[in-house]
Amino acid sequence: MADRKLHYKTYTAPAGGWGAAAATAKVLLEQSVVTKGSRALLAMNQPGGFKCSSCAFPDASCTKTFEFCENGAKALAHEATKFRVTRDFFARHSVAELMAQSDYWLEMQGRLTEPMRYDAASDHYVPVSWDEAFATIGRHLRGLDSPHRAEFYTSGRTPNEAAFLYSIFVREYGTNNFPDCSNMCHEPTSRGLPPAIGVGKGTVILDDFDHAQAIFVIGQNPGTNSPRMMTCLVEARKRGVPIVAVNPMPERALIRFTEPQDVVQMATLGSTPIASEFVHVKIGGDLALLKGMMRVLFEREAAGEAVLDHAFIAEHSEGFEALRDDVMAQDWDEIVAVSGISEEQIRRCAEIYIASNATIICYGMGLTQHQKGSQLLQQVANLLLLKGNYGKPGAGISPIRGHSNVQGDRTVGIDERPSEAYLDRVREVFGFDPPRAHGHHTVESVEAMLAGEAKVFIGLGGNFVRAVPDTERAYAAMAKLDLTVGIATKLNRGHLVHGKEALILPVIARSERIETADGEQFVTIEDSMSNVTASRGVLDPASPDLLPEVEIVCRMAMATLPESRVDWVRYIDDYGAIRDKIAEVYPAIYEGFSERIKAPQGFHLDIAPRRRAWLTPNGKANFLILPGLHVDAPVDEADMLRLATVRSHDQFNTTIYSYNDRYRGVRGGRMVLFVNAEDRAARGLEAGATVALETIASDGIARRVEGLTLIDYPMPRGAIAGYYPELNPLLPLDYYDRTSGCPAAKSIPVRIAV
């Protein structure tokens, strides 16, 4: 859909502050939920309340009256909205008509209210009873000649209880096909870190930020994607802690931030400078930067200085000499050329690291979404190991995840490559032998659809078809399916790109109460720092015809597996019984789940590196090698630019809240390209020109997106950025990290066309 009146003006005010306060008030008004929304916001992220459905950043142990951020308020307002998508709405609009609307327009229509099925004869969704919907799912799944012909997607909003039962249902059905949203963002964390430190999670908790002596924020935009993190960074800067921000795009919140809950700053229009060092790295230059920093450490050691933690390295690690040899073999001129950073600044960053006795390195998808993202994270782990930055206060590695329970879903079984130990426990606890063959991750699931191998897709939340790469091919893949099922709170593109038969099943939202025959129930959420807390909704459900995710999972299982050994009927009503089973399957980390979850602040799962224990085959932390300096394959074309797809400030994943991106100064449009002015001029183009982008690929498939407006922006030479998901058509399905399956969305080789 074409942009409206596009405006661009550099944003110079601090992030947060009155801008965030005004945006919060505005969204409550837009969704007509000022009273209800304000009341619900007081319960968000509070003990006894519900967890925000937006980001996965942890709650502080000392809660404030307002424990939410601007984006959390937007997520709640759109969830609590007064607007409804009813049977009358679907009667007025055919699917073809809805497909012509923008993602923003679809989002603004409001909450789904009852189950619907697609009627091919009229091209409309029409009402269907819950019983008939479950019968349809059971009929299709039982009718497949192999369970591996079904794909079972999970969104990070899914709570632990529903995700756990979903994993049990699908494995009893007979497959490990679990494409999920983590496949597209932090899968390199899950696959890359275990060989290095024995766990595919971060090793810090929130209190560590109070003890850190240096903080590195690499490839992450916390002001937009996890705004509550800014409180930690503000407090660190007030203590004089150096903060090094590494990013191809200068992000406003990492430059200067006003904490909306700081009365003095708000009243005086004050703010806090955040980054003490901004490292304007090239796209794909992070590996060279990390190796350059490590080279400085090794050079200092060779000169007789003791800058490494040799006692830690000797006791806890293996592979040190191989890493040193690899790093010292790198040439400084090439390090500078690939990273785009001067040797002087790299040495300055290394000095900050050397001077700190407790360093946290935070990262986001700027590191994970590369062709060798998993191995890149191992280099982050290497840098931390060199100074023993694990198992002590204020130190460790900290992946900052997006969706609020994406980490928890993986913990409780949403994994296409489950361990043998886990499968053995499932067999012992539930009495069936789960499948052992690895299943499909997200990219493989789309490939299976394109090949005609997959026949059924069930999406437990999310907007799968809009999130995955290669949009046109993904649309074609979904259309080949016999059945698509979308389990969701809001209408999205995934319901309009569907199989021959299709169902939309509406669910109770995170902020809403869950009542069963056994009384009010709560669910649990694991944040990005492995703290598990209870979540209790406070609002009335948007419609009496909504069901909780747990009940939907149980009834799909009952319709599909009439001879199941699992007590699905009990779990519909008793969520405590589900938690007891989680504890049985995961005794090492979830023992006593039902009692421990009663603590107002929840409890932390055990993360072995915090104890300086390493759950690796050799029982050690491992220095691992990624030869060379490139995390993406070089492309031999002079006009090539590296495209990073990014989110706007008024967006959460594929959910578009408006056409504005406040901190980047864009208003009224999303079809833009942020480009270095010298790169633009070298191509004979004017600022504000309308261009197309074409992917540079060798697979013979033409990929092109037109109607993009050039905006001069402080990008490194050779780097451009544009919005996700509009530019997903440019990301080839086959362009991903082979270790994790994560698409390389932060480094797509493209050329500008006119």
Side-chain angles (χ1 to χ4, degrees), residues 417-432:
R417 288 190 265 173
S419 70
E420 289 296 316
Y422 159 78
L423 295 174
D424 289 343
R425 289 297 300 165
V426 169
R427 181 184 59 204
E428 293 168 15
V429 171
F430 287 100
F432 67 86

Side-chain angles (χ1 to χ4, degrees), residues 524-545:
T524 58
I525 306 298
E526 179 187 346
D527 63 36
S528 65
M529 295 180 189
S530 302
N531 194 57
V532 179
T533 49
S535 178
R536 296 174 176 86
V538 299
L539 301 176
D540 292 332
S543 164
D545 293 318

